[in-house]
Amino acid sequence: MGYKKGAYQVEYDGFRRIYQFVSRCIERNGQEVQIVLFTIVHSNIINMEMAEMQEAMIHLETAIRTSLRKGDVATKYNNAQYIVILMETSKDNGQKVVARIKDMWRQEMDKNKAFSLRYDIEAITDEE
């Protein structure tokens, strides 16, 4: 069985289970793990067409898939958001990964300046 390059893509329910597992294992393994929420924003949501948002999400998925490693995990959260777990990654390295994804996405979205890509990043800590 061959594996694709890039992040492990899963449905949201699978992502939740992976997140719970990772957060329980962090202290024992001493790993730094970051979680990133990417959000696509349109400057005029009232006049936005759904097809435009779908295209923006396809470009985001491509940027994420091609920018991440096999050990990272990604899922589409909703029609405008993607969540990523960056395994064995410091916050500084996580910021570099985010910058790479944003740059790649922006190149694809160059024709449509009405969209922007925002993100939130934080370390996953062990559950208590």
Side-chain angles (χ1 to χ4, degrees):
M1 175 181 203
Y3 293 97
K4 294 180 182 178
K5 291 183 177 182
Y8 183 50
Q9 301 271 332
V10 295
E11 296 295 323
Y12 182 71
D13 285 339
F15 185 90
R16 281 189 15 228
R17 288 184 190 96
I18 292 168
Y19 174 87
Q20 291 168 345
F21 176 77
V22 167
S23 65
R24 292 183 70 189
C25 294
I26 284 176
E27 185 176 349
R28 186 181 75 161
N29 295 333
Q31 293 180 335
E32 283 188 83
V33 179
Q34 307 298 315
I35 188 163
V36 184
L37 174 66
F38 290 98
T39 304
I40 297 174
V41 179
H42 192 278
S43 61
N44 188 352
I45 197 76
I46 295 170
N47 293 326
M48 181 196 69
E49 294 184 25
M50 193 54 143
E52 289 179 301
M53 180 60 82
Q54 290 172 340
E55 180 183 357
M57 282 296 286
I58 289 168
H59 291 310
L60 178 57
E61 180 179 345
T62 300
I64 288 170
R65 188 180 59 248
T66 59
S67 296
L68 300 182
R69 305 162 295 178
K70 284 184 182 181
D72 299 326
V73 183
T75 192
K76 181 179 175 183
Y77 182 60
N78 60 36
N79 290 335
Q81 294 181 308
Y82 233 87
I83 305 174
V84 174
I85 295 175
L86 302 173
M87 298 299 297
E88 297 184 37
T89 304
S90 67
K91 188 149 189 168
D92 287 342
N93 285 338
Q95 294 286 355
K96 291 175 185 173
V97 171
V98 167
R100 188 169 56 239
I101 290 169
K102 286 182 73 173
D103 288 345
M104 190 178 292
W105 180 81
R106 178 47 54 207
Q107 288 174 5
E108 293 297 322
M109 293 300 297
D110 192 48
K111 61 187 177 272
N112 197 336
K113 302 277 189 203
F115 286 96
S116 62
L117 184 60
R118 297 187 183 151
Y119 71 94
D120 295 298
I121 185 170
E122 68 178 52
I124 297 176
T125 58
D126 63 321
E127 291 184 344
E128 295 194 29

